[in-house]
Amino acid sequence: MIATLLTTIAAVLPLAAGHSSIFHPSMYGFNVTDKTFPYDNRPVAPLFDMTFSQWWFHGHLDHPPNPGDIFNLPAGKAATTEIACNKGATSYFNSSDGGDIRNPANPNDVCPGSGMDVYHTTGFDDLTGCALAIAYKNDAKDVKPEDFTVFSVNQTCVWTRFTDFQVPARMPPCPEGGCICAWFWIHSPNSGGEQNYMNGFKCNITSPTSNVALAKPKVPRRCGADPNNQKMQSAPANCTYGAKQPFYWFNKEQNNMFEGAFSPPIYKDLYNFVDGAQNDIFVDSYSSLPDPAPNAAMPVLADVPNGAPSSSPTSVPAGSPTATQRVGTNSTTLLTDQAASSNHCKVKPPTANIAARSLGYRHSADRSIWSMTKRSRRLQAGKRSSLWHIF
């Protein structure tokens, strides 16, 4: 039924000139065109109101990458992706039907010749972030939705063609033949209808230094302040901490999120997805991890020697008389006086090209979990109180 409907729509409407996708030869569906399916199922086509077989891996599982095409993810460093609304706007224009449409005056142009509404945003403050997730299996047809763990988030995505995703330093090596990864994006409700984006690709962790496994990913929870829904206060104890699944939303089958059309799940602090590497996704990341609930005890991070987790399990209220924060009933100190006095908590003024490039920050693997000035490129020196409102 849905295929018939989509075929009818495709016959009477021009091809979508917008939307977005990552592009790389390691993708499933890298060479899919508007003619491959009975409907427009190019990687940039949005996914909504579809059956599982249609939205899962964008329906491209039978269009795998060529042997040897793999996307390398350097442990502890940034992986640079190319995101565009047309393959012709990327380095891989040679295999695009329309040829090279890159903008020589702006190599970071996501959609040359089009406005930002084409990639579903009203501006920099309307960005909702996108994510990379990984499954430690070497056959995409063996991967199930619950196998994917989000390991990196770029909160200012989609904004530039070249977009960095920070890879946790402790990522373990992939099995022989590599891992399976996917890119996920849900755009702002202010910039178009309810839509999902998912594109799978073959990937491999390079230069791994750890064999610690990822924890079993759980479903994210909406726990941050949500003024648009008259929720002015965050509920940190109600967040999902540690390994989290991507959002599966607004399709006919196997959703894990059930928010309404005007309150889509987004890869931001609202769901406890920090900007950058998700460093608390490992089986040893927490010494205590209670089930989330509004009045639950807060989780306690473990003392991890190689790459401290980046998701802080508590937020210090603005104007707090002390920087030392104790959580739950066990009064575990998560922030020492030494950390409180460090220069990590000094707000740095934003640079002039912040809005021009949404490339992830670079940092050492063993940075403190409290180095928040580097966690968000949107933090402004004039809004110091927001430094502690991480949810």
Side-chain angles (χ1 to χ4, degrees), residues 101-386:
I101 65 168
R102 294 176 297 174
N103 181 356
N106 180 12
N108 256 330
D109 196 341
V110 177
C111 292
S114 300
M116 65 180 69
D117 59 307
V118 173
Y119 48 97
H120 298 297
T121 184
T122 61
F124 191 71
D125 290 334
D126 191 44
L127 301 175
T128 52
C130 49
L132 296 184
I134 191 169
Y136 274 78
K137 294 183 176 180
N138 57 20
D139 187 343
K141 292 187 177 181
D142 290 338
V143 177
K144 299 177 175 60
E146 58 270 22
D147 292 330
F148 273 127
T149 299
V150 173
F151 67 90
S152 188
V153 165
N154 188 311
Q155 290 189 350
T156 53
C157 168
V158 171
W159 188 247
T160 55
R161 170 186 154 203
F162 294 104
T163 301
D164 274 4
F165 288 90
Q166 300 293 329
V167 181
R170 302 178 66 220
M171 293 294 282
C174 288
E176 185 177 356
C179 291
I180 304 298
C181 289
W183 175 80
F184 293 90
W185 174 46
I186 297 175
H187 62 69
S188 164
N190 301 321
S191 313
E194 55 280 352
Q195 297 171 343
N196 292 269
Y197 294 82
M198 174 193 184
N199 297 102
F201 57 98
K202 289 283 293 184
C203 60
N204 188 47
I205 302 297
T206 61
S207 303
T209 60
S210 171
N211 287 308
V212 177
L214 274 58
K216 182 178 180 180
K218 299 179 181 178
V219 175
R221 295 166 67 96
R222 196 178 186 103
C223 60
D226 193 4
N228 291 336
N229 288 300
Q230 291 74 53
K231 181 181 178 183
M232 308 311 294
Q233 301 295 324
S234 63
N238 202 36
C239 296
T240 299
Y241 293 89
K244 293 184 280 293
Q245 296 176 16
F247 301 130
Y248 308 128
W249 177 71
F250 231 85
N251 276 297
K252 289 183 179 298
E253 299 174 318
Q254 294 196 231
N255 298 312
N256 65 359
M257 310 302 294
F258 301 93
E259 282 79 345
F262 296 101
S263 298
I266 57 176
Y267 292 101
K268 303 198 77 170
D269 295 352
L270 181 61
Y271 285 82
N272 198 24
F273 281 109
V274 299
D275 192 29
Q278 309 299 294
N279 287 320
D280 66 340
I281 60 177
F282 305 95
V283 292
D284 64 352
S285 291
Y286 289 89
S287 59
S288 174
L289 188 58
D291 291 334
N295 297 316
M298 292 295 294
V300 179
L301 290 168
D303 184 11
V304 179
N306 179 23
S310 65
S311 280
S312 167
T314 184
S315 59
V316 179
S320 174
T322 176
T324 302
Q325 177 71 21
R326 298 175 185 273
V327 296
T329 57
N330 57 7
S331 298
T332 301
T333 302
L334 291 181
L335 178 61
T336 65
D337 292 338
Q338 180 180 3
S341 63
S342 76
N343 60 8
H344 284 159
C345 292
K346 294 179 181 178
V347 178
K348 299 179 180 179
T351 59
N353 66 346
I354 276 182
R357 289 180 64 86
S358 65
L359 302 186
Y361 52 81
R362 300 177 185 273
H363 57 81
S364 62
D366 59 350
R367 69 183 182 93
S368 165
I369 63 173
W370 301 98
S371 55
M372 295 184 185
T373 58
K374 296 182 180 180
R375 279 239 317 262
S376 175
R377 290 176 294 265
R378 297 174 60 188
L379 186 63
Q380 298 177 6
K383 297 181 179 179
R384 292 176 182 270
S385 63
S386 67

